[in-house]
Amino acid sequence: MLNLIIKKMTHLRAKQEYENLYDRITVEAARRNTVYYNDFFDDLDKKLQPKDTVDRPGNALVLNLFYMQAVGNELIDRYQKRQDTIDMWMKDDKKKDAQISSARLSEEPYCHHCSKQGLRITHKMLMRRGETYNHNNPEEVLFMLKCPHCDKNSTFWEDGTAWKPKPTLCPECKVEMTEKVISSKKALNSTYTCPSCQYSYKDKLDLTSKKVAPDSDFDKDRIHYCLLDKEWRDKLFEIQKGLIDLAEFGKKLKEKEDNKHIYDAMNNLKKLRIPELTPFITSVLEKAGYVEFSIEKPEMGREVTIGFNCLDSKSERGDYESRTTLRRLVQQTLKDTNWRLMSEGIHYRLGYLNGRLRVYENEEDLLKLVEKTFTKGKV
């Protein structure tokens, strides 16, 4: 039987540790990027004419643009993603701990060295299989066990497969080298020897904790770069929005320049108000024998539509001819205006005709109307 676990690796830590880690990454990246901005600022300052200053609107715009590209946009992005990223880190580490805690060896293993059972589990950890690290390989639980009979260690995957470390090959003859380890509280000293050509070398793993120099500016920089200062945070968001709006304005100007013919056609449309609609159409229809043209009460929704009706005074015209002629006249009359006959067409009964019109008001709808007309080759 396997003995109880002595030690297992725990991934999940206090939330404050994740917050400190995230903020330290933010601060260190911002410090590096600020160096580029400062160099750019100094270079621009040197190139300015004697009476020119970096505060002049044009220069300030250039500096704001470079600062946002070099530093600001990343600060805003990391500020917005901070909580979600920390939550994701904690969720992943909690999942890793659950995977380790629930892992069990599929069968009782035999010692690699003396082939006896009764090994004691000393450690569990997550690793990826394969001689070379591949992030696409899933993390699996690796068990480390000590044999009470020979006092040597053996390592197994959860499915009972023995773990095989990547062999150290002799650089001279490529034969697998033997390793002798002498451990102390401060270091692991390994001696590698080739059994074939006797080539040998030593390696040392320092186990002492390195003293990290205190970062006296971290707390101050954390407030600034992690956008904990609301006044600075609001200013940075304001600068970003201003630059985005400016870019959109420039993009709009370029789009208008590239499609000048469409915008000119849109501006040349007659923008008829509802009271102007009846007299504009009536004169044309009366000449063709359509009389008593009138409009109904408009329907004011997202789109404004309005019904119309008239009488056909020419009794010799039948249903089809009367509808077709009126449709053509209405379409032709309104082609240079912001009004269009709706797709439901014209209805006829006993010389009485009716239909519906739609008006295009805002620039976006007017552009679509003109583009559709260009596509059909009618302008």
Side-chain angles (χ1 to χ4, degrees):
M1 290 289 293
L2 291 171
N3 293 317
L4 295 176
I5 299 172
I6 294 178
K7 181 180 180 182
K8 69 176 181 180
M9 180 181 291
T10 302
H11 294 83
L12 186 62
R13 293 158 285 160
K15 186 175 182 179
Q16 185 65 50
E17 292 188 46
Y18 295 92
E19 294 174 341
N20 292 341
L21 173 61
Y22 188 91
D23 291 348
R24 189 165 294 280
I25 294 173
T26 301
V27 169
E28 290 176 355
R31 285 171 174 173
R32 291 193 301 269
N33 295 334
T34 301
V35 172
Y36 300 118
Y37 170 76
N38 290 337
D39 290 344
F40 180 82
F41 182 96
D42 294 340
D43 187 54
L44 178 64
D45 194 30
K46 290 177 184 177
K47 292 178 180 178
L48 295 178
Q49 298 297 324
K51 294 184 179 181
D52 200 1
T53 67
V54 293
D55 296 328
R56 187 173 61 82
N59 294 332
L61 176 62
V62 171
L63 287 171
N64 281 344
L65 179 60
F66 190 85
Y67 181 82
M68 294 306 295
Q69 290 179 334
V71 187
N73 288 331
E74 184 175 353
L75 294 185
I76 290 176
D77 183 64
R78 289 193 63 80
Y79 172 79
Q80 292 175 325
K81 294 179 178 178
R82 183 177 186 269
Q83 191 58 55
D84 287 344
T85 302
I86 290 171
D87 289 344
M88 180 188 68
W89 285 350
M90 295 183 70
K91 182 179 178 181
D92 288 346
D93 282 349
K94 186 176 181 180
K95 184 178 179 181
K96 289 178 180 180
D97 287 342
Q99 182 180 353
I100 292 174
S101 180
S102 63
R104 299 289 184 272
L105 283 166
S106 59
E107 57 184 26
E108 186 173 358
Y110 290 86
C111 175
H112 293 333
H113 309 281
C114 68
S115 300
K116 294 182 179 180
Q117 290 183 308
L119 283 66
R120 183 178 73 253
I121 299 175
T122 61
H123 202 80
K124 285 183 182 182
M125 66 167 57
L126 288 174
M127 286 187 64
R128 302 180 194 273
R129 296 204 197 198
E131 292 185 358
T132 57
Y133 180 83
N134 186 347
H135 188 74
N136 293 324
N137 292 338
E139 286 188 316
E140 300 180 57
V141 178
L142 190 67
F143 291 76
M144 280 147 281
L145 306 96
K146 181 176 286 292
C147 178
H149 309 287
C150 65
D151 202 36
K152 293 183 178 180
N153 296 318
S154 297
T155 310
F156 295 88
W157 296 102
E158 188 174 0
D159 62 8
T161 305
W163 176 72
K164 295 181 180 179
K166 184 178 179 180
T168 303
L169 302 180
C170 174
E172 300 292 333
C173 63
K174 308 304 178 186
V175 173
E176 183 175 350
M177 304 180 77
T178 60
E179 178 187 8
K180 183 178 180 181
V181 180
I182 299 176
S183 61
S184 66
K185 292 183 179 180
K186 295 184 177 181
L188 290 177
N189 297 284
S190 301
T191 302
Y192 295 90
T193 305
C194 176
S196 177
C197 67
Q198 301 306 309
Y199 174 82
S200 179
Y201 70 92
K202 294 183 178 180
D203 191 19
K204 180 179 180 180
L205 177 62
D206 191 354
L207 300 179
T208 58
S209 57
K210 304 292 183 182
K211 289 187 177 180
V212 180
D215 186 346
S216 58
D217 294 326
F218 177 72
D219 289 337
K220 171 177 64 68
D221 289 347
R222 185 183 203 174
I223 293 174
H224 183 72
Y225 291 128
C226 296
L227 308 189
L228 302 181
D229 180 350
K230 185 179 185 303
E231 183 178 353
W232 165 237
R233 180 173 71 245
D234 291 344
K235 181 179 179 180
L236 208 59
F237 273 93
E238 182 182 348
I239 293 173
Q240 186 187 60
K241 183 180 184 305
L243 293 175
I244 291 175
D245 291 344
L246 184 62
E248 286 296 319
F249 179 71
K251 183 179 178 181
K252 186 70 173 178
L253 286 180
K254 181 65 168 57
E255 191 267 335
K256 284 187 175 182
E257 181 182 340
D258 293 341
N259 297 282
K260 186 176 182 300
H261 59 298
I262 294 178
Y263 281 89
D264 287 346
M266 181 192 72
N267 293 328
N268 290 331
L269 289 175
K270 294 182 180 69
K271 313 300 191 304
L272 297 176
R273 298 180 303 118
I274 292 175
E276 298 170 314
L277 191 59
T278 298
F280 187 81
I281 297 178
T282 298
S283 60
V284 176
L285 298 188
E286 286 182 345
K287 292 178 182 179
Y290 295 97
V291 297
E292 297 185 29
F293 177 86
S294 64
I295 58 175
E296 301 170 356
K297 184 178 180 180
E299 293 184 9
M300 300 288 190
R302 192 185 70 84
E303 300 174 352
V304 177
T305 62
I306 192 167
F308 69 89
N309 59 78
C310 64
L311 299 175
D312 188 352
S313 63
K314 293 187 176 183
S315 58
E316 67 272 17
R317 272 195 295 231
D319 180 338
Y320 176 77
E321 182 184 358
S322 183
R323 286 188 293 107
T324 304
T325 303
L326 181 59
R327 184 180 69 249
R328 186 174 65 251
L329 282 171
V330 172
Q331 290 175 336
Q332 185 67 22
T333 303
L334 297 177
K335 72 172 186 177
D336 294 328
T337 74
N338 59 329
W339 290 84
R340 288 295 182 270
L341 180 66
M342 295 185 69
S343 59
E344 60 198 59
I346 304 291
H347 302 282
Y348 174 96
R349 190 167 186 179
L350 301 175
Y352 176 86
L353 300 100
N354 67 292
R356 297 190 67 77
L357 301 174
R358 177 197 166 183
V359 65
Y360 292 79
E361 295 180 278
N362 59 58
E363 184 178 86
E364 182 181 354
D365 288 342
L366 286 168
L367 282 174
K368 290 179 180 178
L369 174 64
V370 174
E371 286 173 350
K372 187 188 299 184
T373 307
F374 267 95
T375 303
K376 292 180 178 179
K378 293 184 179 180
V379 173

